[in-house]
Amino acid sequence: MTEITDTTQVPEPGGSSEGNRPRRGGKRGKKGPFGRLGLFYRQIIAELRKVVWPTRHQLSTYTSVVIVFVVIMIGLVTVIDYGFTEAVKYVFG
């Protein structure tokens, strides 16, 4: 059985922390602006490779669902707008 030990050192209150300076920046701290920009784009490419892209059939299905939904919402807003217009005309004449 493995024994787990706590190796975290907590500084004493009021003591100096000269020897325990936190690290600055890690990998990003040692590179210039172009190096950081290159790292950023490499990370973008790595994340895009993880994406599960839809097939052509799924894409056409999703697109048609969105178009039908938008047309229905346009119709609903048009009917409500027309109803409010007629109500305002009736009230204010």
Side-chain angles (χ1 to χ4, degrees):
M1 191 151 103
T2 306
E3 185 176 309
I4 299 173
T5 59
D6 185 36
T7 59
T8 305
Q9 296 178 357
V10 179
E12 293 293 322
S16 68
S17 61
E18 292 176 18
N20 297 340
R21 289 186 188 166
R23 289 179 45 196
R24 292 182 49 200
K27 288 183 179 178
R28 289 180 286 164
K30 297 181 178 115
K31 296 183 179 180
F34 292 113
R36 288 193 305 257
L37 190 63
L39 175 65
F40 176 69
Y41 282 118
R42 282 193 303 274
Q43 289 174 345
I44 289 175
I45 299 296
E47 288 298 321
L48 284 175
R49 288 185 180 161
K50 295 178 188 177
V51 173
V52 178
W53 297 99
T55 63
R56 185 176 297 269
H57 179 67
Q58 289 173 332
L59 187 62
S60 63
T61 302
Y62 297 156
T63 303
S64 60
V65 166
V66 168
I67 290 173
V68 167
F69 177 76
V70 168
V71 167
I72 290 172
M73 292 308 296
I74 287 172
L76 182 66
V77 170
T78 302
V79 168
I80 291 172
D81 183 50
Y82 180 75
F84 280 132
T85 302
E86 292 301 316
V88 168
K89 283 183 186 176
Y90 178 75
V91 171
F92 297 109

